[in-house]
Amino acid sequence: MNKTVKIAALIYSVSILLSRIIGLIRELVIGRILGDTAEADVYWVAFILPDFLNYLLAGGALSLVLIPLLQSAQERGGTNEYWACFWRITTPLSVFVLIATLGIWISAPTLLPLISPGFNSEQSALLVRLTRIILPAQIFHICGGLVSATLQARDHHLAPALAPLIYTGFIILGGLTLGDYLGAEGFAWGVLVGSFLGPFACPLLAARSQGLRFTPLWSPTHSECKRYMWRALPVMLGFSIVVLDDMLVKRWATDLGQGVVSQLHYARALMKVPMGVFGLAMGMAAFPSISRLIAQNRAIEALTMLRSAAEVLLVLVGISQAALMVSSSQMAALIWGSDHLSFGGAEGIGLYCAALCLGLWGWSMQGLVARGFYARGQTWAPTLIGSVIAGLMYPLYTWVGTKGGPQIGEYLAPLPFSLLRRAAELPGIGLTLVSSAAISLYVFTLWIALSLSFGQRHVSTIMGLLKTLLKIELAALLAVELCERLLPSVTPDHSLELITHLIFRVSLSTIIFLGIALCLRVRALAVLRERVALRIMRK
């Protein structure tokens, strides 16, 4: 790994860590000001249309698509061609995002009832107002993402890494300064101001020092513009379950009563901590090596490395899953405070989080497995598979979000697992279980497709990872059940007692999980132990 890559990796590692910390502070501030009230439900649903617009315009893949084109232009014609390529792509895309944003802004009163059928007239009016405040932020996210790509293509990573920190910081600032007066609107204005100063202005100032000047070019039929669109199409046209899951859960949760949307959101926020720390880090660490092996025509070695990384990731996820499932109610009470939530709100968040953790392995692994396709240049496969899974699972989301919710509770009540029995009466429990099933089915299908694309058609090779997964899931669930039987299910009122309970629960679940995993002879546990021992010896 050369010095440039090491510096970039360090910058983004620190940025990701700080983003997780600041993101958790953001959730804490929002939860302690809005709680799980009807207003909080509206605030979270207000992001559905803006996020969907960003997804349709491949906002999350701007850098991945644009950077290779910019680098090719630089090699072909130097700095002038570099910036010409940027403006050929940016000009028509910026015009399109402006038109699309204006169209959705105008039609918001017509579109929003489709995604919030359970809201009353007061909530619906607030939803329109909040959506119209948040919606223009996508202009800054998308245009700023294009500008950031020009910096990353030249190995200038500081501004792109700082952008999300500034964005999240202003959401927090908006809530703290305006939340007591404007409520959810204070956070919405923080979103808009933060998106301008962070994702847009921060990289723009840095890019100007690198030679960026305002010289728009209208060439939508140029070959570079066509190549950009073709490479972005897998993201723009595919409706992958990875993106749609949160939107579907929030859409149907609006029908299930006040506070359900917010409790489900806070539960997902807790689950995202290990998902981001382990899943994203493992994907970023493994991708360069896997790409290098494939470039050297050593595909089998690349798949072996990918599987080894996946097995180690599953162990880390298993530990996190057990810890979260037994302690998420206490975490919710500590972070958001029982006084700021409705009666039983902290326990509801904890139980929803426990159900979502059944799919934690899938959420953590999907990025790693998808990178196996990206390393082979197969960008369409993950999106197409995710879109098929979304289509297959959509009727289930609809069913549990309407008449199927109570029936799910009846099925859970007789089960031997204490947590699931306690969660049986929650109105949104069906949505969390379908969400976990959908991501699990997606990642398992993705792994089979990846193995086949590498020429591995033997059942034992393909199913080896599933065997490891089943052992780890069994160890996690048994650890959770033992903890539930050994520990009282009370949540102390005082913070010190709460922290003590939390530490004890996490420690006990981890010890039990590791003990069971050793008894089940999980091979990846030995690999992880060797890596930790080697790192300690080096220090």
Tab-separated table of all heavy atoms in Angstrom, residues 198-234:
chain	number	residue	atom	x	y	z
A	198	GLY	N	-21.698	22.100	4.229
A	198	GLY	CA	-20.888	20.897	4.297
A	198	GLY	C	-20.645	20.254	2.942
A	198	GLY	O	-19.599	20.473	2.311
A	199	PRO	N	-21.579	19.460	2.429
A	199	PRO	CA	-21.369	18.745	1.155
A	199	PRO	C	-21.126	19.642	-0.046
A	199	PRO	O	-20.524	19.210	-1.029
A	199	PRO	CB	-22.676	17.953	0.992
A	199	PRO	CG	-23.204	17.796	2.377
A	199	PRO	CD	-22.824	19.051	3.098
A	200	PHE	N	-21.577	20.906	-0.015
A	200	PHE	CA	-21.422	21.769	-1.191
A	200	PHE	C	-20.287	22.791	-1.031
A	200	PHE	O	-19.297	22.757	-1.763
A	200	PHE	CB	-22.739	22.489	-1.486
A	200	PHE	CG	-22.684	23.365	-2.707
A	200	PHE	CD1	-22.598	22.804	-3.974
A	200	PHE	CD2	-22.714	24.747	-2.602
A	200	PHE	CE1	-22.528	23.604	-5.111
A	200	PHE	CE2	-22.654	25.560	-3.721
A	200	PHE	CZ	-22.567	24.985	-4.983
A	201	ALA	N	-20.405	23.691	-0.065
A	201	ALA	CA	-19.444	24.795	0.050
A	201	ALA	C	-18.047	24.318	0.430
A	201	ALA	O	-17.049	24.827	-0.095
A	201	ALA	CB	-19.942	25.814	1.079
A	202	CYS	N	-17.947	23.350	1.313
A	202	CYS	CA	-16.628	22.878	1.772
A	202	CYS	C	-15.781	22.321	0.616
A	202	CYS	O	-14.655	22.802	0.385
A	202	CYS	CB	-16.811	21.837	2.876
A	202	CYS	SG	-15.266	21.180	3.528
A	203	PRO	N	-16.276	21.351	-0.170
A	203	PRO	CA	-15.467	20.899	-1.317
A	203	PRO	C	-15.338	21.948	-2.414
A	203	PRO	O	-14.333	21.970	-3.134
A	203	PRO	CB	-16.221	19.663	-1.823
A	203	PRO	CG	-17.597	19.778	-1.288
A	203	PRO	CD	-17.489	20.534	-0.007
A	204	LEU	N	-16.335	22.838	-2.557
A	204	LEU	CA	-16.257	23.866	-3.590
A	204	LEU	C	-15.081	24.805	-3.341
A	204	LEU	O	-14.326	25.139	-4.267
A	204	LEU	CB	-17.564	24.657	-3.642
A	204	LEU	CG	-17.632	25.778	-4.691
A	204	LEU	CD1	-17.518	25.212	-6.100
A	204	LEU	CD2	-18.925	26.573	-4.540
A	205	LEU	N	-14.902	25.240	-2.095
A	205	LEU	CA	-13.781	26.123	-1.765
A	205	LEU	C	-12.443	25.424	-2.017
A	205	LEU	O	-11.497	26.031	-2.531
A	205	LEU	CB	-13.879	26.571	-0.301
A	205	LEU	CG	-15.052	27.511	0.028
A	205	LEU	CD1	-15.122	27.754	1.530
A	205	LEU	CD2	-14.899	28.837	-0.718
A	206	ALA	N	-12.382	24.136	-1.647
A	206	ALA	CA	-11.141	23.388	-1.876
A	206	ALA	C	-10.886	23.193	-3.368
A	206	ALA	O	-9.742	23.280	-3.824
A	206	ALA	CB	-11.222	22.033	-1.175
A	207	ALA	N	-11.935	22.941	-4.152
A	207	ALA	CA	-11.777	22.712	-5.592
A	207	ALA	C	-11.356	23.985	-6.317
A	207	ALA	O	-10.620	23.931	-7.305
A	207	ALA	CB	-13.076	22.171	-6.179
A	208	ARG	N	-11.815	25.129	-5.844
A	208	ARG	CA	-11.408	26.393	-6.469
A	208	ARG	C	-9.901	26.602	-6.350
A	208	ARG	O	-9.258	27.129	-7.251
A	208	ARG	CB	-12.170	27.568	-5.843
A	208	ARG	CG	-13.612	27.673	-6.322
A	208	ARG	CD	-14.266	28.950	-5.801
A	208	ARG	NE	-13.592	30.147	-6.292
A	208	ARG	CZ	-13.789	30.687	-7.497
A	208	ARG	NH1	-14.622	30.118	-8.349
A	208	ARG	NH2	-13.151	31.795	-7.832
A	209	SER	N	-9.329	26.158	-5.232
A	209	SER	CA	-7.878	26.281	-5.066
A	209	SER	C	-7.125	25.311	-5.978
A	209	SER	O	-5.916	25.463	-6.192
A	209	SER	CB	-7.489	26.022	-3.612
A	209	SER	OG	-7.715	24.675	-3.257
A	210	GLN	N	-7.856	24.308	-6.512
A	210	GLN	CA	-7.252	23.338	-7.431
A	210	GLN	C	-7.513	23.674	-8.896
A	210	GLN	O	-7.165	22.901	-9.786
A	210	GLN	CB	-7.792	21.933	-7.128
A	210	GLN	CG	-7.438	21.414	-5.751
A	210	GLN	CD	-5.942	21.274	-5.556
A	210	GLN	OE1	-5.247	20.768	-6.425
A	210	GLN	NE2	-5.452	21.732	-4.404
A	211	GLY	N	-8.163	24.824	-9.135
A	211	GLY	CA	-8.342	25.261	-10.516
A	211	GLY	C	-9.763	25.237	-11.038
A	211	GLY	O	-9.998	25.539	-12.220
A	212	LEU	N	-10.752	24.916	-10.200
A	212	LEU	CA	-12.139	24.890	-10.655
A	212	LEU	C	-12.633	26.310	-10.928
A	212	LEU	O	-12.508	27.187	-10.071
A	212	LEU	CB	-13.027	24.223	-9.592
A	212	LEU	CG	-14.540	24.251	-9.864
A	212	LEU	CD1	-14.878	23.461	-11.129
A	212	LEU	CD2	-15.320	23.703	-8.673
A	213	ARG	N	-13.192	26.520	-12.108
A	213	ARG	CA	-13.800	27.792	-12.473
A	213	ARG	C	-15.173	27.521	-13.082
A	213	ARG	O	-15.428	26.448	-13.622
A	213	ARG	CB	-12.927	28.543	-13.490
A	213	ARG	CG	-11.556	28.936	-12.952
A	213	ARG	CD	-11.655	29.946	-11.818
A	213	ARG	NE	-10.340	30.331	-11.301
A	213	ARG	CZ	-9.747	29.745	-10.258
A	213	ARG	NH1	-10.336	28.737	-9.630
A	213	ARG	NH2	-8.569	30.171	-9.841
A	214	PHE	N	-16.054	28.507	-12.995
A	214	PHE	CA	-17.430	28.333	-13.487
A	214	PHE	C	-17.449	28.473	-15.002
A	214	PHE	O	-17.544	29.569	-15.547
A	214	PHE	CB	-18.358	29.354	-12.837
A	214	PHE	CG	-19.802	29.137	-13.179
A	214	PHE	CD1	-20.502	28.042	-12.682
A	214	PHE	CD2	-20.464	30.021	-14.026
A	214	PHE	CE1	-21.836	27.839	-13.003
A	214	PHE	CE2	-21.804	29.823	-14.358
A	214	PHE	CZ	-22.485	28.735	-13.849
A	215	THR	N	-17.346	27.328	-15.682
A	215	THR	CA	-17.364	27.310	-17.165
A	215	THR	C	-18.278	26.177	-17.641
A	215	THR	O	-17.809	25.161	-18.159
A	215	THR	CB	-15.951	27.096	-17.721
A	215	THR	OG1	-15.378	25.916	-17.128
A	215	THR	CG2	-15.058	28.285	-17.436
A	216	PRO	N	-19.594	26.310	-17.432
A	216	PRO	CA	-20.514	25.217	-17.775
A	216	PRO	C	-20.500	24.880	-19.263
A	216	PRO	O	-20.304	25.758	-20.119
A	216	PRO	CB	-21.877	25.768	-17.349
A	216	PRO	CG	-21.712	27.247	-17.286
A	216	PRO	CD	-20.289	27.491	-16.907
A	217	LEU	N	-20.681	23.597	-19.555
A	217	LEU	CA	-20.735	23.100	-20.934
A	217	LEU	C	-21.998	22.262	-21.099
A	217	LEU	O	-22.205	21.298	-20.356
A	217	LEU	CB	-19.500	22.239	-21.250
A	217	LEU	CG	-18.145	22.946	-21.279
A	217	LEU	CD1	-17.030	21.918	-21.405
A	217	LEU	CD2	-18.090	23.931	-22.443
A	218	TRP	N	-22.809	22.649	-22.068
A	218	TRP	CA	-24.045	21.882	-22.319
A	218	TRP	C	-23.785	20.900	-23.458
A	218	TRP	O	-23.874	21.231	-24.629
A	218	TRP	CB	-25.206	22.809	-22.657
A	218	TRP	CG	-26.490	22.066	-22.884
A	218	TRP	CD1	-27.060	21.768	-24.076
A	218	TRP	CD2	-27.336	21.507	-21.888
A	218	TRP	NE1	-28.217	21.054	-23.898
A	218	TRP	CE2	-28.416	20.871	-22.539
A	218	TRP	CE3	-27.304	21.466	-20.497
A	218	TRP	CZ2	-29.437	20.222	-21.872
A	218	TRP	CZ3	-28.320	20.822	-19.817
A	218	TRP	CH2	-29.371	20.213	-20.502
A	219	SER	N	-23.424	19.655	-23.088
A	219	SER	CA	-23.129	18.626	-24.094
A	219	SER	C	-23.720	17.287	-23.652
A	219	SER	O	-22.997	16.319	-23.388
A	219	SER	CB	-21.612	18.489	-24.290
A	219	SER	OG	-21.015	19.704	-24.626
A	220	PRO	N	-25.050	17.196	-23.539
A	220	PRO	CA	-25.664	15.959	-23.029
A	220	PRO	C	-25.451	14.751	-23.934
A	220	PRO	O	-25.604	13.613	-23.489
A	220	PRO	CB	-27.146	16.321	-22.928
A	220	PRO	CG	-27.339	17.478	-23.850
A	220	PRO	CD	-26.054	18.233	-23.848
A	221	THR	N	-25.092	14.986	-25.217
A	221	THR	CA	-24.879	13.859	-26.130
A	221	THR	C	-23.398	13.491	-26.257
A	221	THR	O	-23.049	12.604	-27.038
A	221	THR	CB	-25.440	14.194	-27.523
A	221	THR	OG1	-24.789	15.370	-28.029
A	221	THR	CG2	-26.944	14.426	-27.462
A	222	HIS	N	-22.534	14.162	-25.514
A	222	HIS	CA	-21.098	13.861	-25.580
A	222	HIS	C	-20.830	12.446	-25.052
A	222	HIS	O	-21.544	11.949	-24.174
A	222	HIS	CB	-20.316	14.889	-24.756
A	222	HIS	CG	-18.841	14.875	-25.021
A	222	HIS	ND1	-17.985	13.982	-24.403
A	222	HIS	CD2	-18.067	15.638	-25.848
A	222	HIS	CE1	-16.748	14.198	-24.823
A	222	HIS	NE2	-16.774	15.198	-25.702
A	223	SER	N	-19.807	11.813	-25.579
A	223	SER	CA	-19.516	10.420	-25.215
A	223	SER	C	-19.239	10.265	-23.722
A	223	SER	O	-19.615	9.256	-23.111
A	223	SER	CB	-18.313	9.905	-26.017
A	223	SER	OG	-17.167	10.702	-25.769
A	224	GLU	N	-18.593	11.256	-23.101
A	224	GLU	CA	-18.307	11.169	-21.664
A	224	GLU	C	-19.591	11.216	-20.843
A	224	GLU	O	-19.725	10.508	-19.834
A	224	GLU	CB	-17.367	12.291	-21.246
A	224	GLU	CG	-15.939	12.082	-21.722
A	224	GLU	CD	-15.065	13.287	-21.464
A	224	GLU	OE1	-15.600	14.422	-21.456
A	224	GLU	OE2	-13.865	13.099	-21.289
A	225	CYS	N	-20.513	12.038	-21.261
A	225	CYS	CA	-21.797	12.132	-20.571
A	225	CYS	C	-22.562	10.809	-20.704
A	225	CYS	O	-23.174	10.338	-19.742
A	225	CYS	CB	-22.607	13.285	-21.159
A	225	CYS	SG	-23.835	13.960	-20.039
A	226	LYS	N	-22.487	10.229	-21.896
A	226	LYS	CA	-23.157	8.938	-22.116
A	226	LYS	C	-22.526	7.845	-21.261
A	226	LYS	O	-23.231	6.999	-20.697
A	226	LYS	CB	-23.092	8.556	-23.595
A	226	LYS	CG	-23.956	9.435	-24.499
A	226	LYS	CD	-23.814	9.011	-25.952
A	226	LYS	CE	-24.684	9.856	-26.864
A	226	LYS	NZ	-24.533	9.461	-28.286
A	227	ARG	N	-21.175	7.848	-21.166
A	227	ARG	CA	-20.496	6.845	-20.354
A	227	ARG	C	-20.862	6.994	-18.878
A	227	ARG	O	-21.062	6.006	-18.164
A	227	ARG	CB	-18.967	6.949	-20.518
A	227	ARG	CG	-18.450	6.313	-21.789
A	227	ARG	CD	-16.974	5.979	-21.672
A	227	ARG	NE	-16.158	7.170	-21.445
A	227	ARG	CZ	-15.683	7.934	-22.422
A	227	ARG	NH1	-15.957	7.632	-23.684
A	227	ARG	NH2	-14.937	8.987	-22.147
A	228	TYR	N	-20.971	8.240	-18.423
A	228	TYR	CA	-21.375	8.476	-17.032
A	228	TYR	C	-22.768	7.901	-16.778
A	228	TYR	O	-22.987	7.203	-15.783
A	228	TYR	CB	-21.364	9.977	-16.719
A	228	TYR	CG	-21.911	10.285	-15.339
A	228	TYR	CD1	-21.080	10.263	-14.235
A	228	TYR	CD2	-23.265	10.560	-15.155
A	228	TYR	CE1	-21.580	10.512	-12.964
A	228	TYR	CE2	-23.770	10.816	-13.889
A	228	TYR	CZ	-22.931	10.789	-12.805
A	228	TYR	OH	-23.435	11.019	-11.555
A	229	MET	N	-23.698	8.212	-17.676
A	229	MET	CA	-25.068	7.738	-17.496
A	229	MET	C	-25.125	6.212	-17.511
A	229	MET	O	-25.845	5.594	-16.718
A	229	MET	CB	-25.963	8.311	-18.594
A	229	MET	CG	-26.181	9.816	-18.492
A	229	MET	SD	-26.918	10.309	-16.902
A	229	MET	CE	-28.487	9.441	-16.998
A	230	TRP	N	-24.371	5.579	-18.407
A	230	TRP	CA	-24.405	4.120	-18.505
A	230	TRP	C	-23.884	3.481	-17.221
A	230	TRP	O	-24.439	2.516	-16.725
A	230	TRP	CB	-23.590	3.650	-19.704
A	230	TRP	CG	-23.455	2.156	-19.788
A	230	TRP	CD1	-22.344	1.414	-19.587
A	230	TRP	CD2	-24.515	1.231	-20.071
A	230	TRP	NE1	-22.616	0.083	-19.716
A	230	TRP	CE2	-23.959	-0.064	-20.022
A	230	TRP	CE3	-25.877	1.368	-20.358
A	230	TRP	CZ2	-24.705	-1.204	-20.251
A	230	TRP	CZ3	-26.616	0.217	-20.596
A	230	TRP	CH2	-26.031	-1.041	-20.537
A	231	ARG	N	-22.807	4.045	-16.668
A	231	ARG	CA	-22.240	3.482	-15.444
A	231	ARG	C	-23.106	3.763	-14.224
A	231	ARG	O	-23.085	3.015	-13.247
A	231	ARG	CB	-20.830	4.035	-15.224
A	231	ARG	CG	-19.843	3.586	-16.291
A	231	ARG	CD	-18.451	4.141	-16.054
A	231	ARG	NE	-17.546	3.794	-17.146
A	231	ARG	CZ	-16.247	4.061	-17.155
A	231	ARG	NH1	-15.697	4.705	-16.130
A	231	ARG	NH2	-15.508	3.707	-18.182
A	232	ALA	N	-23.853	4.867	-14.256
A	232	ALA	CA	-24.725	5.205	-13.126
A	232	ALA	C	-26.081	4.511	-13.202
A	232	ALA	O	-26.801	4.448	-12.206
A	232	ALA	CB	-24.935	6.722	-13.056
A	233	LEU	N	-26.434	3.985	-14.375
A	233	LEU	CA	-27.753	3.375	-14.560
A	233	LEU	C	-28.069	2.248	-13.571
A	233	LEU	O	-29.211	2.140	-13.114
A	233	LEU	CB	-27.906	2.866	-15.997
A	233	LEU	CG	-28.387	3.880	-17.029
A	233	LEU	CD1	-28.425	3.238	-18.409
A	233	LEU	CD2	-29.770	4.415	-16.659
A	234	PRO	N	-27.098	1.375	-13.226
A	234	PRO	CA	-27.433	0.318	-12.270
A	234	PRO	C	-27.983	0.852	-10.958
A	234	PRO	O	-28.849	0.235	-10.341
A	234	PRO	CB	-26.076	-0.389	-12.045
A	234	PRO	CG	-25.325	-0.147	-13.300
A	234	PRO	CD	-25.736	1.221	-13.750
